[in-house]
């Protein structure tokens, strides 16, 4: 019986891994194509598309997964948690910068539509991930006095990133 359970766990893990690999691969290719400025030359490179560092789909999804992971560890569950219980108040410059970047989403969408340049939206998404990196470096979320506020900011970040991914036609995962 234990052997059957282990086989089932390995199979589920393998299926989850294959799904994650597919999402990362396809989303990374889409992101690489969409981040190109339509007025410049295009250079196709799988190495650049799948690089886990820098302005790539892999990096963006990795940052999204980190946000999801912190929210899970903080006990946030979208199905049962009440969003009204979370209030945001910037406690440091990194939090303020991330919040201000999130608020520029409508501007990025308008610019992309007005100029017919989808890369304006990809630039916004990449800027958000950079601000998340600074946020992680400067802010302790779990167990801090400001955990409620930090969770509120991460919730907003998750929603904005999901909106960007959706507009770009990119699938996401919440675990790697």
């Amino acid at each position: 019986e234990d052997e059957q359970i282990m086989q089932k766990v390995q199979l589920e893990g393998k299926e989850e891994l294959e799904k994650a690999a597919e999402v990362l691969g396809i989303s990374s290719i889409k992101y690489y194509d969409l981040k190109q400025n339509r007025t410049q030359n295009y250079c196709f490179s799988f190495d650049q598309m799948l690089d886990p560092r820098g302005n790539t789909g892999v990096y963006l999804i990795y940052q999204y997964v980190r946000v999801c992971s912190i929210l899970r560890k903080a006990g946030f569950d979208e199905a049962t948690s009440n969003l009204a219980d979370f209030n945001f108040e910037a406690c440091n410059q990194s939090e303020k910068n991330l919040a201000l970047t999130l608020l520029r989403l409508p501007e990025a969408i308008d610019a992309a539509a007005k100029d017919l340049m989808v890369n304006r939206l990809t630039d916004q998404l990449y800027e958000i991930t950079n601000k998340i990196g600074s946020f992680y470096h400067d802010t302790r979320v779990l167990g801090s006095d400001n955990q409620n506020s930090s969770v509120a900011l991460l919730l907003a970040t998750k929603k904005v990133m999901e909106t960007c991914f959706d507009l770009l036609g990119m699938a996401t995962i919440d675990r790697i």
Side-chain angles (χ1 to χ4, degrees):
E1 187 174 295
D2 288 340
E3 191 173 306
Q4 288 177 335
I5 293 171
M6 288 303 294
Q7 286 176 346
K8 183 177 180 182
V9 168
Q10 288 175 346
L11 180 62
E12 288 174 1
K14 183 179 178 185
E15 289 173 359
E16 188 174 311
L17 181 63
E18 288 174 358
K19 179 187 176 213
E22 182 178 336
V23 166
L24 283 170
I26 292 171
S27 291
S28 294
I29 291 169
K30 283 182 180 182
Y31 180 78
Y32 183 82
D33 280 345
L34 295 172
K35 79 174 186 167
Q36 304 301 315
N37 186 330
R38 66 176 172 78
T39 61
Q40 296 176 339
N41 290 338
Y42 180 89
C43 178
F44 185 87
S45 170
F46 272 126
D47 291 337
Q48 289 179 1
M49 289 177 190
L50 301 174
D51 191 342
R53 297 175 309 270
N55 191 1
T56 65
V58 175
Y59 177 70
L60 299 175
I61 292 173
Y62 169 73
Q63 290 289 24
Y64 176 80
V65 167
R66 286 182 75 186
V67 169
C68 293
S69 174
I70 292 172
L71 290 173
R72 274 192 307 276
K73 288 176 183 174
F76 180 79
D77 180 10
E78 288 184 63
T80 60
S81 296
N82 185 0
L83 292 175
D85 293 338
F86 296 90
N87 298 313
F88 173 69
E89 182 179 326
C91 298
N92 61 44
Q93 191 62 43
S94 295
E95 289 184 355
K96 186 176 183 178
N97 291 342
L98 177 56
L100 290 172
T101 302
L102 297 175
L103 292 172
R104 288 200 305 270
L105 177 63
E107 179 183 317
I109 293 170
D110 287 344
K114 179 184 169 205
D115 300 335
L116 299 177
M117 299 181 96
V118 177
N119 65 301
R120 303 284 172 102
L121 189 55
T122 61
D123 293 347
Q124 173 72 14
L125 186 54
Y126 181 60
E127 186 177 350
I128 291 168
T129 61
N130 283 332
K131 301 297 184 203
I132 291 170
S134 296
F135 170 82
Y136 291 145
H137 183 266
D138 297 338
T139 307
R140 181 171 172 238
V141 176
L142 302 175
S144 72
D145 292 339
N146 301 313
Q147 178 174 323
N148 189 24
S149 177
S150 296
V151 167
L153 181 58
L154 288 176
L155 286 168
T157 302
K158 180 179 184 281
K159 294 294 183 189
V160 168
M161 290 183 79
E162 287 171 347
T163 299
C164 290
F165 286 134
D166 187 49
L167 289 170
L168 295 170
M170 294 172 61
T172 60
I173 50 178
D174 60 358
R175 295 177 191 262
I176 292 182

